[in-house]
Amino acid sequence: MNDGVNGVALAVFIIFFLAVTVIGFMATRWRKAENEHSLDEWGLGGRSFGTWVTWFLLGGDLYTAYTFVAVPAAIYAAGAAGFFAVPYTILVYPLIFTFLPRLWSVSHKHGYVTTSDFVRGRFGSKGLSLAVAVTGILATMPYIALQLVGIQAVLDVMGVGGGENTNWFVKDLPLLIAFGVLAAYTYSSGLRAPALIAFVKDTLIYIVIAVAIIYIPIKLGGFDEVFGAASEKYTAAKAGALVPAEAGQWTYATLALGSALALFMYPHSITATLSSRSREVIRRNTTILPLYSLMLGLLALLGFMAIAAGVKVTNPQLAIPQLFEDMFPSWFAGVAFAAIGIGALVPAAIMSIAAANLFTRNIYKDFLKPDATPAQETKVSKLVSLLVKVGALVFVLTMDKTVAINFQLLGGIWILQTFPSLVGGLFTRWFHRWALLAGWAVGMLYGTLAAYGVASPTQKHFGGSAKEIPGIGEIGYIGLTAFVLNLVVTVVLTFALKALKAPDGVDETKPSDYTADAGEPGVAVELPPATAGSAH
């Protein structure tokens, strides 16, 4: 790693960073609404985005600094086990094709802004809605933290922020700068800011990946040399492999399946979905989003290339930024660093907006101020979006950043426990609301305690997301084990509570709500927030 500052790369990075910051602030004028003081406008972009904007927004939402930094870093450090991110993004699209259009339709019909809005309307339970909201906020903070780690890794490689031995303020200054910029334009422009910036971000990422996947192997002597060097390194270190070892196959499979089930439970995924203007936009996007998975597979190979290029870093998260600095001309390294940095800002903005919407609609309005006006809701959501980023900073400053992928996997353990309430509720009313709440509690408790008990060489607690599966003896993803326990408790208690004729709550939806499209009679395409709130 260079000791000094890479001036050319830093200058290019700053130019792009300033450009997207300006775009972020200017976004408030894009498709300006008559009444911008509502969550529909600030938090969902007026529910007006078409196929093109939605594709970039969802792509910018799902393919993040985690994609660019943590996935190749996992492959650099542990081999093919890190490729679990590729099959899970392939599994997720057929899954979401079945339920996202239904969620869009019922949310448009009733003016739902969050998943918790839907859960409350479907099961008539504020308690279950609160559980989903709290889980969403909790799971989002480590995910935002991962984005900030990506920015810090890039700036560290460029020589900004110092190394691990630098005093804490200077070392973490990149995170504080990122927080300030992100907080400012998110507060000002809402969802319109990341929607506009996503165009820049995805264009840069595609350019960098296209160049990297051709240029770097040519400089290294071809892919034979790349895979050969990686195999030699794993053999010598007796850690990692070009294919998952038999002992790790359960971990690989459960990580892929659990992550696929969890991905669209995250509040930011749903926020981007509900910002679309029609049901057909969602269906169309689930068929073309797999193009991003092709990019992810190519990007993951960068971990092997870093090994072949002789990249030596103590923190694996620095491997890919360092590879770019070593292999690219300084000006193009700056472009690549900008792609990572902007790739962190876009999802972090959407995540903070989504978490803020959950707090405002399902904690503040439901429990603290039921008569809140749309303007008050919007103001509270803006303020909470700042607090969520502070929480993310706490994750970054207190947890081990050398295994940053654990940030995302830890959030996945929690958010997966909302699957029965959300996806189950979209297809059936059979589950009892109290059973769903009990199942959620069991899954959350087991998942958190199990993850707390996992140690790593650098961290005593929360050092990983895999542990022995009770009754099977194989090592698997804690989130999926917790989900199975959650589902078993939910089903058993539903039978028991129905037998006891426990009150089942009022369902405010009807079957036709789940297939309605924009413009159909009775569908609230631009439902005013005050009306939407009163429906609950």
Side-chain angles (χ1 to χ4, degrees):
M1 187 177 295
N2 293 341
D3 294 328
V5 175
N6 186 332
V8 174
L10 180 60
V12 173
F13 177 88
I14 290 173
I15 289 170
F16 277 105
F17 200 86
L18 290 176
V20 298
T21 301
V22 171
I23 292 172
F25 283 111
M26 291 180 62
T28 189
R29 301 174 182 273
W30 179 47
R31 300 185 180 187
K32 192 173 180 67
E34 290 183 9
N35 176 22
E36 58 192 77
H37 300 296
S38 72
L39 284 188
D40 264 24
E41 293 299 336
W42 183 83
L44 292 180
R47 303 183 191 252
S48 62
F49 298 148
T51 302
W52 190 242
V53 177
T54 301
W55 188 71
F56 276 103
L57 186 62
L58 278 169
D61 194 2
L62 303 176
Y63 295 85
T64 68
Y66 153 71
T67 311
F68 234 131
V69 174
V71 170
I75 292 167
Y76 171 83
F83 269 98
F84 80 90
V86 178
Y88 100 65
T89 61
I90 296 170
L91 290 171
V92 77
Y93 297 117
L95 176 68
I96 64 175
F97 186 83
T98 64
F99 75 83
L100 273 193
R102 294 178 65 85
L103 178 62
W104 183 93
S105 290
V106 71
S107 298
H108 231 59
K109 176 77 174 181
H110 291 275
Y112 298 148
V113 173
T114 68
T115 52
S116 291
D117 281 351
F118 164 71
V119 168
R120 181 182 57 180
R122 179 63 155 161
F123 295 101
S125 172
K126 284 188 177 181
L128 184 58
S129 170
L130 177 64
V132 172
V134 170
T135 306
I137 295 169
L138 182 65
T140 298
M141 287 192 289
Y143 217 158
I144 298 174
L146 185 53
Q147 313 315 314
L148 301 182
V149 167
I151 295 175
Q152 186 186 45
V154 164
L155 293 175
D156 278 355
V157 168
M158 286 191 293
V160 180
E164 291 299 319
N165 297 323
T166 311
N167 76 77
W168 73 269
F169 179 78
V170 174
K171 184 179 70 172
D172 293 319
L173 187 60
L175 297 183
L176 302 177
I177 294 172
F179 168 81
V181 172
L182 178 63
Y185 70 64
T186 303
Y187 186 94
S188 170
S189 304
L191 193 65
R192 285 175 170 80
L196 268 184
I197 296 172
F199 285 90
V200 180
K201 172 250 187 191
D202 286 356
T203 301
L204 284 177
I205 285 180
Y206 272 109
I207 290 172
V208 171
I209 293 303
V211 172
I213 208 69
I214 297 171
Y215 179 77
I216 295 178
I218 290 175
K219 288 198 69 175
L220 295 175
F223 276 102
D224 283 349
E225 293 294 327
V226 170
F227 289 119
S231 181
E232 289 177 14
K233 183 242 184 181
Y234 296 137
T235 301
K238 297 182 179 180
L242 285 177
V243 294
E246 184 176 348
Q249 288 176 3
W250 270 84
T251 306
Y252 186 93
T254 54
L255 268 174
L257 178 58
S259 298
L261 294 175
L263 185 59
F264 272 83
M265 299 301 100
Y266 281 102
H268 58 278
S269 302
I270 301 303
T271 294
T273 299
L274 297 186
S275 70
S276 304
R277 69 179 174 217
S278 73
R279 176 186 174 92
E280 189 58 31
V281 166
I282 299 304
R283 291 167 59 86
R284 210 175 289 133
N285 265 276
T286 58
T287 62
I288 59 177
L289 275 170
L291 287 173
Y292 278 101
S293 294
L294 174 63
M295 178 195 71
L296 178 60
L298 298 175
L299 194 152
L301 293 175
L302 294 176
F304 293 143
M305 295 181 199
I307 295 172
V311 171
K312 304 291 183 185
V313 290
T314 55
N315 179 354
Q317 310 313 314
L318 302 178
I320 303 312
Q322 190 63 50
L323 173 69
F324 290 158
E325 174 151 289
D326 291 348
M327 302 300 293
F328 289 145
S330 292
W331 70 269
F332 194 77
V335 174
F337 295 153
I340 298 175
I342 299 168
L345 289 179
V346 170
I350 305 172
M351 290 169 192
S352 62
I353 290 168
N357 288 346
L358 280 170
F359 176 86
T360 301
R361 288 297 291 258
N362 308 114
I363 298 177
Y364 175 73
K365 188 173 177 65
D366 276 357
F367 294 96
L368 302 178
K369 192 173 176 58
D371 60 344
T373 65
Q376 288 173 327
E377 285 185 354
T378 306
K379 183 178 180 180
V380 169
S381 208
K382 286 182 174 183
L383 293 173
V384 172
S385 73
L386 303 181
L387 295 177
V388 170
K389 296 184 192 73
V390 173
L393 278 175
V394 172
F395 270 92
V396 175
L397 299 177
T398 58
M399 294 189 70
D400 177 19
K401 293 187 282 293
T402 62
V403 283
I405 199 167
N406 285 335
F407 286 9
Q408 192 265 347
L409 295 175
L410 181 60
I413 292 171
W414 293 328
I415 202 64
L416 187 51
Q417 308 319 311
T418 65
F419 191 98
S421 299
L422 178 58
V423 179
L426 286 169
F427 292 95
T428 179
R429 188 58 166 71
W430 181 78
F431 294 119
H432 195 282
R433 55 182 177 164
W434 295 348
L436 285 166
L437 189 57
W440 166 85
V442 169
M444 289 290 288
L445 183 63
Y446 171 82
T448 304
L449 291 177
Y452 180 81
V454 176
S456 73
T458 56
Q459 192 162 302
K460 187 176 180 181
H461 302 294
F462 295 113
S465 58
K467 197 170 186 177
E468 184 175 308
I469 304 171
I472 296 180
E474 300 285 351
I475 303 297
Y477 179 39
I478 293 168
L480 192 60
T481 306
F483 169 72
V484 172
L485 291 174
N486 178 346
L487 202 56
V488 169
V489 170
T490 298
V491 170
V492 171
L493 284 183
T494 294
F495 276 115
L497 290 166
K498 286 185 177 292
L500 294 171
K501 300 188 184 309
D504 207 16
V506 177
D507 180 5
E508 71 178 24
T509 71
K510 58 182 185 290
S512 61
D513 295 346
Y514 295 87
T515 54
D517 205 345
E520 292 184 10
V523 177
V525 179
E526 293 282 350
L527 193 64
T531 306
S534 64
H536 301 158

